[in-house]
Amino acid sequence: FPNQYTEQEAKKLGVVGWVKNTSQGTVTGQVQGPEEKVNQMKSWLTKVGSPSSRIDKTNFSNEKEISKLDFSDFNTRY
């Protein structure tokens, strides 16, 4: 369960959202929270990731400021 490490990091940082492995062997998801914390999570996803992951590249898109969080926790979707 490689995404358990992503969940742990997200909860440690205090961001909310979700993560999911795709059938193409990539990972997709959403992260919400204070900009500084989201940036820390993006850095972790880009440079560290789970112990069994191989990070070839990262692509963050649809970034925007929101007035209210859409999620109350961070979890893995299947």
Side-chain angles (χ1 to χ4, degrees):
F1 297 96
N3 287 332
Q4 76 182 19
Y5 295 97
T6 305
E7 280 188 46
Q8 288 173 354
E9 186 66 19
K11 290 176 182 184
K12 183 176 97 177
L13 290 173
V15 295
V16 297
W18 57 271
V19 66
K20 178 181 179 177
N21 292 326
T22 70
S23 58
Q24 294 81 29
T26 63
V27 177
T28 188
Q30 255 187 42
V31 177
Q32 297 179 350
E35 183 177 8
E36 177 185 329
K37 299 295 184 183
V38 169
N39 287 337
Q40 288 176 8
M41 187 68 187
K42 287 167 53 179
S43 178
W44 184 86
L45 290 166
T46 300
K47 299 174 184 172
V48 182
S50 67
S52 63
S53 67
R54 186 184 89 215
I55 304 167
D56 294 326
K57 72 176 186 170
T58 53
N59 178 29
F60 301 101
S61 60
N62 300 323
E63 295 185 58
K64 61 185 176 184
E65 283 192 33
I66 57 174
S67 58
K68 180 177 165 264
L69 299 175
D70 296 322
F71 308 99
S72 59
D73 200 0
F74 195 96
N75 58 49
T76 300
R77 294 185 175 177
Y78 300 95

